[in-house]
Amino acid sequence: MALFKRNSDDPGLKPPNPDEDAERQIDAEELVVRTRPRSGLAEQFRRTWSAIEALNPDGAPRSILVTSAVPGEGKSVAVLNLALAYCERPHSRVVVIDADMRRPSIEGYLGLERRQGCAEVLEGRIPLDQAIRRTSEPGLDVIGAGDAPENPTKIIRVDRLKSVMSGLKQRYDYVLIDGPPAHVLTEPHLIGASVDGIVLAVRLGSTPKQVVEETSQHLEAMGGNLLGVCLLGAEVRQQHYS
């Protein structure tokens, strides 16, 4: 697994300009809610989001970690499509945090330059306000992964995470976090204990059932609230209605 970290000769990432990406269009093919809004896949993400809210109608979880058991399940694509589905609602506000500091991808899918972000906030190197970036999608902001430290686990402290979540929930309706795979890494378990709920992304026909079960048990044992599974890779039969 690749770890993006800065060497001694690298000055590191620059701080983001909050408005530098406000005009950059979101056009990644995988983000179907934006690029193919009338497709069956886009509708499935809308239904998944509605299901998350329906789990707790009196106080729906407002900070949600999306993780997977192993790499390559599609969790980053899932978290961005879920965020875009929510942003279709009037006056909605959601922020997506890339907490996968070993393999950051959120900025890449959105066509953004990598900047300082989650790592620097958790290390106390930049304030939370400085890490937030606007996108061209109304209501959608992002916080990139930033420069990965030598050991990302060391900078993830539950008290600091809860403080960051509290600050973000005062500004946004929802905080969605793209976390690293949970079966082999410690970070998702620490993040999961600091948020309102966890969604586990699972690719059909790829992840062994035993691995999914073990990952679910570990997340819950560490104090995480597992909301359910987002099944990816299933065939969606196109049904047109007009």
Side-chain angles (χ1 to χ4, degrees), residues 102-239:
R102 300 171 187 264
R103 277 190 181 176
S105 61
I106 293 298
E107 288 159 306
Y109 280 117
L110 296 175
L112 312 180
E113 296 291 333
R114 290 190 62 214
R115 296 284 186 257
Q116 292 181 353
C118 181
E120 287 76 15
V121 170
L122 294 179
E123 290 177 316
R125 292 168 52 194
I126 63 172
L128 179 60
D129 285 348
Q130 192 172 344
I132 298 172
R133 304 167 70 177
R134 289 178 55 202
T135 73
S136 60
E137 187 71 22
L140 174 62
D141 292 348
V142 298
I143 298 176
D147 264 330
E150 187 72 29
N151 182 0
T153 304
K154 286 187 176 181
I155 69 170
I156 298 180
R157 303 194 318 271
V158 173
D159 58 339
R160 177 60 174 159
L161 280 169
K162 289 185 176 180
S163 175
V164 170
M165 290 301 105
S166 176
L168 290 173
K169 287 194 287 187
Q170 293 179 26
R171 313 178 194 191
Y172 298 93
D173 302 315
Y174 282 92
V175 181
L176 300 184
I177 305 165
D178 178 21
H183 189 254
V184 293
L185 297 172
T186 304
E187 296 102 277
H189 303 275
L190 299 174
I191 299 171
S194 309
V195 297
D196 298 322
I198 303 170
V199 172
L200 189 62
V202 176
R203 182 163 293 279
L204 184 66
S206 174
T207 316
K209 180 180 179 181
Q210 180 181 352
V211 172
V212 175
E213 292 175 344
E214 290 176 357
T215 302
S216 301
Q217 292 168 2
H218 292 164
L219 288 168
E220 292 180 323
M222 290 290 289
N225 174 27
L226 187 61
L227 302 176
V229 170
C230 179
L231 185 64
L232 302 168
E235 181 180 353
V236 178
R237 182 176 298 175
Q238 297 293 327
Q239 295 179 344

Side-chain angles (χ1 to χ4, degrees), residues 86-87 89-93 173:
Y86 182 70
C87 285
R89 305 180 183 189
H91 313 298
S92 59
R93 296 207 67 201
D173 302 315

